[in-house]
Amino acid sequence: MPIRVSAAPTAQLIGSCTFGTNASIAPTDHCVAQAGNDGISSVIWSPTANHLVSTNWNGDVSCWEVQESEGHILALPKAKGESRVYHGNGFPALDSAFSPDGSTVFSVGADKAVRMWNLTQPPLNNIPQQIGAHDQPIKSVAFLPSTNLIVSGSWDKMLKFWDVRQQSPVGILQLPDKCYDLDVRDSLMVVACAGRHIITYNVKGQPQEHKREESPLKFQSRCVAAFPDATGYAVGSIEGRVGIQYVANVPGKESFSFRCHRQEANVFAVNCICFHNQFGTFATVGADGIVNFWDKDNVQKLKGFPAIHRTITCASFSAQGNMFAYSSSYDWSKGSAHYAPGTPNEIWVHSVVKDEIKPKPKKPTPYK
């Protein structure tokens, strides 16, 4: 989406960041320098440190060390080793995942490869080691802590499980259609596929399919995220809706769906859903350039931020929950014909105030 240039104080490009009205969801948010020269496909935080990793459509996988003190944030390229590596031949990097100890990043992309980047050791030619492959581009990757395996989901309709000590998969599961997104929490893995298929698995040991069902939403799934307590998941679609689905019996809780990321007659895709580890609340970000914080347990919106001047493609809460990273760039939902060369690709880090994200007493009215 192109930037509209008008009289001050609208957003202006300064270095690799834009500043001014509607550049970020809050005026004190920190813009991460050198976020890349193409669309941002994912942002994730290390589970053990304030390390932030992004993947880009030009093949970049980048890492920053983020410092936070009393709401003030500074992100710098990772000090040790390389701060940026690349997928082969400029193929888009589409997703990444950390190992539980935060030492290693696993990434996947359109080069059909699963790659491993040890953050303390620069890879040969800045291309991370390949540990696996699919027959088609790989959309999503995650780490299974109970078995120390990496799982990758591809457009070849396969889930593959990898041990870093060998390049042949240790397991393969057939999917009903292309993998669009997957997420893992403890023993729960949830996979969203084309055709509105959603499959949940128990991955405590050998992966076992738990349930295969149709999405509660009427249109294509865009993103999925498992609850922090692994009792269910949230799925977002291109129609500006989110479904809250329980896979375990939780007294007093029922599955439901709600509308979001809509402006009058205009409907926008929900591009990403991410949960806050401490409170179990969550954020949605959309093609309308809006970030919303939600409380599924009390069925209410906690915080709606002002829209920024371009689509928000992905987001993530830090492990401690005190920082929220989100990216603004073209999301390619309208194809290359609508891409404006020179459109900035930015990552912002928001200092999370507890009152924005912690649950509040239940209100009598549902989400709006």
Side-chain angles (χ1 to χ4, degrees):
M1 183 180 295
I3 301 174
R4 297 178 179 179
V5 180
S6 57
T10 53
Q12 298 181 11
L13 185 63
I14 302 175
S16 61
C17 298
T18 51
F19 292 91
T21 304
N22 298 330
S24 58
I25 63 173
T28 57
D29 289 358
H30 173 75
C31 185
V32 177
Q34 301 176 354
N37 298 320
D38 208 336
I40 300 160
S41 52
S42 73
V43 290
I44 60 166
W45 291 91
S46 165
T48 60
N50 288 333
H51 290 163
L52 179 67
V53 165
S54 74
T55 55
N56 292 62
W57 278 79
N58 66 349
D60 288 358
V61 184
S62 306
C63 183
W64 295 269
E65 294 179 354
V66 185
Q67 303 168 8
E68 190 274 337
S69 177
E70 298 180 350
H72 298 287
I73 293 172
L74 178 64
L76 300 171
K78 188 179 64 68
K80 296 180 180 180
E82 292 293 328
S83 62
R84 179 166 295 168
V85 295
Y86 310 92
H87 270 247
N89 297 318
F91 285 100
L94 298 177
D95 196 22
S96 62
F98 270 97
S99 61
D101 64 1
S103 67
T104 305
V105 173
F106 303 93
S107 58
V108 295
D111 60 351
K112 309 174 189 177
V114 182
R115 298 188 180 276
M116 179 176 68
W117 176 22
N118 186 322
L119 293 179
T120 63
Q121 298 176 4
L124 182 65
N125 298 321
N126 276 358
I127 299 177
Q129 175 187 351
Q130 181 172 341
I131 63 167
H134 281 258
D135 293 332
Q136 295 291 331
I138 308 172
K139 181 59 177 65
S140 296
V141 65
F143 193 94
L144 305 180
S146 62
T147 56
N148 288 326
L149 298 178
I150 297 91
V151 59
S152 54
S154 168
W155 294 344
D156 65 6
K157 305 179 185 179
M158 295 285 186
L159 285 178
K160 293 186 178 182
F161 300 84
W162 308 95
D163 185 321
V164 299
R165 296 167 295 185
Q166 61 185 72
Q167 288 199 343
S168 297
V170 297
I172 298 176
L173 292 175
Q174 179 75 47
L175 294 172
D177 214 319
K178 294 179 180 179
C179 174
Y180 282 165
D181 197 15
L182 66 83
D183 193 29
V184 174
R185 289 278 188 161
D186 296 328
S187 61
L188 173 66
M189 178 171 67
V190 56
V191 183
C193 298
R196 298 173 51 237
H197 300 284
I198 297 181
I199 310 99
T200 51
Y201 299 87
N202 184 335
V203 291
K204 187 175 182 180
Q206 181 176 348
Q208 299 289 330
E209 184 173 318
H210 170 73
K211 188 176 184 181
R212 186 174 297 213
E213 59 188 338
E214 190 175 74
S215 168
L217 310 179
K218 295 180 180 179
F219 293 91
Q220 176 183 304
S221 302
R222 176 61 64 87
C223 54
V224 70
F227 300 167
D229 63 4
T231 59
Y233 63 88
V235 57
S237 75
I238 61 171
E239 63 173 318
R241 289 182 71 88
V242 169
I244 301 296
Q245 296 291 112
Y246 287 90
V247 298
N249 292 324
V250 181
K253 302 297 181 184
E254 294 183 357
S255 300
F256 64 96
S257 61
F258 63 94
R259 293 189 298 269
C260 55
H261 298 282
R262 300 183 177 203
Q263 299 173 11
E264 298 179 352
N266 298 316
V267 178
F268 299 88
V270 180
N271 284 333
C272 184
I273 300 171
C274 57
F275 278 88
H276 190 279
N277 289 336
Q278 178 182 356
F279 296 123
T281 49
F282 66 100
T284 61
V285 303
D288 54 355
I290 288 178
V291 173
N292 292 317
F293 290 171
W294 307 93
D295 178 1
K296 66 176 177 58
D297 295 326
N298 291 312
V299 195
Q300 62 182 314
K301 181 191 289 186
L302 297 172
K303 177 77 174 181
F305 292 89
I308 65 171
H309 51 71
R310 69 178 68 89
T311 57
I312 301 178
T313 55
C314 46
S316 180
F317 286 103
S318 63
Q320 293 181 331
N322 61 326
M323 289 184 287
F324 174 75
Y326 60 98
S327 65
S328 62
S329 64
Y330 183 54
D331 62 4
W332 297 101
S333 60
K334 296 182 179 180
S336 59
H338 289 263
Y339 173 67
T343 298
N345 303 286
E346 299 172 348
I347 298 173
W348 295 84
V349 181
H350 175 73
S351 179
V352 179
V353 179
K354 281 190 176 182
D355 286 344
E356 295 176 340
I357 195 62
K358 70 179 181 180
K360 294 179 174 63
K362 187 174 183 179
K363 295 181 179 180
T365 54
Y367 293 140
K368 294 184 178 180

